[in-house]
């Protein structure tokens, strides 16, 4: 939990620095986050490459690895469908479109805004950001009570990048490949599933 709070603290600090424009203009105008992501993926790759247990897990799971993203898709869509029953102003279809973002807020919110409405787009943005933050904060609890794959399921599409470090820390390096695989599959499927659901609204 301490690690999660440290990550959240850095996020809040960055948010404050961005809002107050305390940093030099050249730094604010440049997108250094992509380089940070490149470095993160390099370090994770090195960690996986040097850890024999990672490959052992893949050999043992083999084709079953495909069930991880499938389970995330089914679980996410069923969960938001059930939750929509408590909301009078959002239909099951609209809730499913939001849930089909799988944490990929930057793309799903834009697509939903474009194909449906600004209001649902904002809901998609906020709900998928909350999913990512919840994964960063609660993965230690998810792993403790629901198993090693729980953080990966919670992270959704972000399991391949932003939530990967916290997942690896609490699930173990041997689950990094599964996390990256699941995240990549979900990221690819977001621009397919979201428009498909919106088409029937």
């Amino acid at each position: 939990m301490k690690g999660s709070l440290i990550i959240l603290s850095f996020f809040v600090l960055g948010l404050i620095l961005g809002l107050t424009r305390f940093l030099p203009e050249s730094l604010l105008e440049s997108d250094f986050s992509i380089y940070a992501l490149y470095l993160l993926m390099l370090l994770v790759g090195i960690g996986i490459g040097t850890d024999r247990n990672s490959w052992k897990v893949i050999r043992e799971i083999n084709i079953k690895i495909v069930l991880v993203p499938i389970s995330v898709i089914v679980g996410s869509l069923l969960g938001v469908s059930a939750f929509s029953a408590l909301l009078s102003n959002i239909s099951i279809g609209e809730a499913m479109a939001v849930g089909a973002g799988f944490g990929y807020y930057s793309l799903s919110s834009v697509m939903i805004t474009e194909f449906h409405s600004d209001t649902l787009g904002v809901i998609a943005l906020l709900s998928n950001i909350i999913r990512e933050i919840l994964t960063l904060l609660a993965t230690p609890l998810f792993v403790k009570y629901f198993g090693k794959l729980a953080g990966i399921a919670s992270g959704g599409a972000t399991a391949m990048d932003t939530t990967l470090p916290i997942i690896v820390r609490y699930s173990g390096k041997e689950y990094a490949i599964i996390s990256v695989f699941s995240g990549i599959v979900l990221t690819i499927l977001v621009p397919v599933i979201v428009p498909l659901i919106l088409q029937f609204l």
Side-chain angles (χ1 to χ4, degrees):
M1 195 64 180
K2 182 182 176 183
S4 300
L5 292 174
I6 291 171
I7 290 170
L8 182 63
S9 299
F10 274 104
F11 172 77
V12 171
L13 177 62
L15 195 62
I16 292 169
L17 290 173
L19 289 170
T20 58
R21 305 194 75 80
F22 181 76
L23 299 171
E25 199 68 31
S26 58
L27 191 62
L28 292 171
E29 290 177 356
S30 302
D31 185 16
F32 290 102
S33 60
I34 189 68
Y35 299 110
L37 178 59
Y38 292 155
L39 178 61
L40 169 67
M41 297 307 289
L42 173 66
L43 295 174
V44 168
I46 291 170
I48 293 169
T50 56
D51 186 11
R52 301 291 180 187
N53 288 330
S54 300
W55 302 105
K56 184 180 177 183
V57 168
I58 289 296
R59 281 196 298 272
E60 289 174 356
I61 294 178
N62 50 64
I63 196 66
K64 291 179 184 176
I65 194 172
V66 178
L67 295 176
V68 178
I70 291 173
S71 299
V72 175
I73 293 168
V74 174
S76 296
L77 297 181
L78 286 177
V80 294
S81 297
F83 189 73
S84 69
L86 304 174
L87 304 172
S88 58
N89 54 345
I90 295 181
S91 68
I92 290 178
E94 289 171 335
M96 287 178 70
V98 171
F102 307 125
Y104 194 171
Y105 55 83
S106 56
L107 177 63
S108 62
S109 60
V110 171
M111 292 180 75
I112 291 171
T113 299
E114 186 71 27
F115 295 117
H116 190 274
S117 66
D118 291 341
T119 303
L120 196 65
V122 171
I123 292 171
L125 176 67
L126 294 175
S127 64
N128 283 291
I129 286 175
I130 289 169
R131 180 173 184 160
E132 182 175 334
I133 293 172
L134 187 64
T135 303
L136 290 170
L137 291 175
T139 288
L141 296 175
F142 291 157
V143 170
K144 182 178 179 180
Y145 293 106
F146 303 107
K148 301 281 190 180
L149 295 173
I152 298 172
S154 173
T158 68
M160 64 176 272
D161 44 47
T162 52
T163 59
L164 181 60
I166 200 78
I167 290 168
V168 169
R169 179 169 180 176
Y170 290 98
S171 293
K173 282 194 286 187
E174 62 269 26
Y175 284 86
I177 294 175
I178 299 171
S179 185
V180 170
F181 174 79
S182 179
I184 289 172
V185 170
L186 292 169
T187 298
I188 292 169
L189 290 178
V190 167
V192 176
I193 297 175
V194 171
L196 192 65
I197 293 171
L198 291 173
Q199 188 177 324
F200 293 101
L201 294 181

